[in-house]
Amino acid sequence: MTSHISAMSPATRAIIRAHITKSEEAIEYPYLDLKGHLTIGIGFKVNNKSEFAQLPLSLLKNGKWVSANVQEKKHAFDLMMAEKRKQNGNFNNKVHNYKNITKVQMLRPAQNAKLDGIITTNVRRIVNAVGAKAWNR
């Protein structure tokens, strides 16, 4: 069934991405959602420091976007957790209030790549659940 997924056209993937991004704003910097979950990008929830350190994050250095290293990512995570503790359970802030807490960002191409991976995984699950014949119809 994997062959049916790899045959998904870029246009189909773009349509799926557009539907998802209609309800999720693409925020490039880390923020705390209304429940206090660390989030970045198109609603990508981050569960822990290790997971955050694996994200494709960037920093602006000397006028150029460069990949953040693991230590920079871990430092950014720690800053966000300090902000979470400071808020003491009151996470009703506007997203833009988090913009300057860290310097790391997940740029739009990285967000799209991550979302495409999630789409592929979920399409694979759907194809497995409904069968390739039903999917192809």
Side-chain angles (χ1 to χ4, degrees):
M1 287 186 216
T2 305
S3 62
H4 298 288
I5 297 163
S6 62
M8 186 186 337
S9 73
T12 299
R13 190 178 309 279
I15 290 168
I16 294 170
R17 189 186 312 129
H19 280 287
I20 293 168
T21 57
K22 219 183 261 189
S23 63
E24 285 287 346
E25 189 177 349
I27 307 296
E28 293 181 334
Y29 47 88
Y31 63 95
L32 300 172
D33 70 8
L34 292 175
K35 293 181 180 179
H37 299 124
L38 181 58
T39 308
I40 193 166
I42 310 164
F44 303 130
K45 182 178 148 192
V46 181
N47 295 306
N48 55 54
K49 187 187 286 193
S50 175
E51 191 177 304
F52 192 79
Q54 293 175 16
L55 291 172
L57 302 175
S58 299
L59 286 167
L60 190 61
K61 292 184 181 178
N62 301 319
K64 287 178 63 178
W65 286 104
V66 297
S67 294
N69 65 40
V70 171
Q71 285 309 107
E72 292 164 331
K73 294 175 189 181
K74 287 181 176 183
H75 178 67
F77 180 89
D78 290 340
L79 290 172
M80 291 303 298
M81 292 301 100
E83 179 65 24
K84 182 176 181 174
R85 287 187 298 278
K86 182 176 141 186
Q87 290 186 23
N88 198 29
N90 182 18
F91 305 112
N92 293 321
N93 288 325
K94 302 281 185 201
V95 170
H96 70 270
N97 289 341
Y98 297 102
K99 187 172 188 172
N100 296 314
I101 293 174
T102 75
K103 300 296 180 198
V104 298
Q105 293 192 15
M106 181 184 280
L107 302 178
R108 193 57 191 255
Q111 290 183 42
N112 288 343
K114 182 167 178 60
L115 184 56
D116 286 350
I118 292 168
I119 289 168
T120 297
T121 298
N122 286 318
V123 167
R124 183 174 292 122
R125 288 181 185 144
I126 294 166
V127 171
N128 287 337
V130 302
K133 188 175 181 179
W135 172 260
N136 288 329
R137 272 189 260 140

